[in-house]
């Protein structure tokens, strides 16, 4: 019995997800309010200094293989290719001065994330995890989950420079911009890493600093 060839037409262009969402645009020296739509992410949680905590390296070491397995499956099986978006992080601590003045990284809780397109389902992610395990059985792919993040109203700015010098910018956002505009902090501090620190000098790193907020009267 003859077999029938099935051909999947692959898109000749790759979708850049960050170019489809206005909240991935920011200017240096300008804090602005944006409405962030609900977005889906691959996510891994952890705690401690990202420069030294072993679980941070583990998080990145498992996030990227799953993200690329998902991308290639989308391209080869669905005919929809896309650029794997930049790394993002949600950061929190019991005392916010751990971010602004004390910069106590050992106190930080974090969730590292990579955005995924809306056309991919939980089943696609499960298949991507399985594909990674088949190649690298030792990788703890069970750490990777799918999160729907709905931040809504956020204040954000573009920071150019070393991660170590973010404190004054965050302090200005928290203690000047937010109260001046009748806002309250809500949700976790969010960073979007537009530069690759392995290939970019510290003083040229580009990072979107985002803080979910709400109108003060909405919290009463």
């Amino acid at each position: 019995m003859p077999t029938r060839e099935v051909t999947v037409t692959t898109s000749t262009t790759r979708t850049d997800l960050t170019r489809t969402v206005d909240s991935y645009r920011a200017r240096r020296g300008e804090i602005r309010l944006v409405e962030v739509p609900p977005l889906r992410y691959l996510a891994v949680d952890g705690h401690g200094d990202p420069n030294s905590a072993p679980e941070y390296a583990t998080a990145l070491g498992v996030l990227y293989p799953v993200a690329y397995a998902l991308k290639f499956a989308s391209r080869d099986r669905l005919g929809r290719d896309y650029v794997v978006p930049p790394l993002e992080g949600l950061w929190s601590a019991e005392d916010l001065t751990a971010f602004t003045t004390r910069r106590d990284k050992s106190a930080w809780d974090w969730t590292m994330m990579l955005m995924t397109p809306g056309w991919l389902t939980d089943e696609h992610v499960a298949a991507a995890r399985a594909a990674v395990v088949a190649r690298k059985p030792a990788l703890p792919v069970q750490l990777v989950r799918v999160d729907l993040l709905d931040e809504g109203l956020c204040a954000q700015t573009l920071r150019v420079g070393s991660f170590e010098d973010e404190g004054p910018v965050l302090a200005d956002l928290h203690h000047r911009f937010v109260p001046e505009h009748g806002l309250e902090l809500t949700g976790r501090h969010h960073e979007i890493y537009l530069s690759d620190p392995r290939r970019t000098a510290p003083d040229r790193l580009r990072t979107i600093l985002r803080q979910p907020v709400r109108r003060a009267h909405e919290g009463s």
Side-chain angles (χ1 to χ4, degrees):
M1 182 177 178
T3 58
R4 184 180 64 176
E5 292 188 359
V6 177
T7 302
V8 174
T9 302
T10 302
S11 172
T12 57
T13 60
R14 292 187 300 170
T15 300
D16 186 338
L17 302 175
T18 63
R19 293 183 180 275
T20 67
V21 184
D22 175 67
S23 53
Y24 279 82
R25 298 177 179 87
R27 292 182 180 178
R28 183 180 188 178
E30 173 189 85
I31 301 175
R32 72 171 179 130
L33 292 174
V34 296
E35 280 287 345
V36 183
L39 297 168
R40 281 166 54 90
Y41 295 88
L42 300 177
V44 178
D45 297 322
H47 175 83
D49 186 342
N51 295 315
S52 58
E55 59 191 287
Y56 184 82
T58 298
L60 299 195
V62 69
L63 259 180
Y64 278 102
V66 174
Y68 275 96
L70 195 59
K71 163 196 163 63
F72 294 139
S74 180
R75 181 194 66 187
D76 298 340
R77 300 177 187 175
L78 303 180
R80 302 187 71 172
D81 197 7
Y82 63 94
V83 179
V84 172
L87 182 69
E88 305 186 33
L90 300 179
W91 303 86
S92 57
E94 290 189 8
D95 181 355
L96 284 181
T97 62
F99 293 104
T100 55
T101 55
R102 291 192 297 117
R103 299 296 288 174
D104 181 7
K105 298 178 183 179
S106 66
W108 294 356
D109 292 308
W110 43 262
T111 300
M112 305 315 297
M113 310 184 300
L114 290 168
M115 184 168 54
T116 64
W119 66 77
L120 296 175
T121 66
D122 290 350
E123 288 72 22
H124 291 122
V125 175
R129 287 197 200 96
V132 172
V133 168
R135 296 194 309 272
K136 299 180 178 180
L139 277 185
V141 297
Q142 72 278 2
L143 296 176
V144 181
R145 68 176 190 280
V146 180
D147 262 0
L148 179 66
L149 185 62
D150 187 0
E151 292 178 298
L153 185 65
C154 293
Q156 69 178 33
T157 188
L158 177 67
R159 162 71 184 163
V160 179
S162 169
F163 299 140
E164 305 303 323
D165 299 329
E166 291 177 357
V169 179
L170 295 178
D172 181 56
L173 190 156
H174 292 171
H175 304 305
R176 181 192 62 80
F177 182 89
V178 165
E180 280 185 1
H181 289 78
L183 303 169
E184 296 176 344
L185 303 179
T186 180
R188 301 172 70 185
H189 171 60
H190 188 163
E191 298 191 350
I192 302 163
Y193 306 105
L194 302 179
S195 305
D196 185 342
R198 299 170 301 177
R199 299 180 175 88
T200 308
D203 63 343
R204 297 179 66 85
L205 291 170
R206 298 170 65 249
T207 307
I208 294 177
L209 305 180
R210 176 183 295 167
Q211 175 61 53
V213 293
R214 66 185 174 196
R215 307 291 180 188
H217 63 82
E218 293 176 357
S220 59

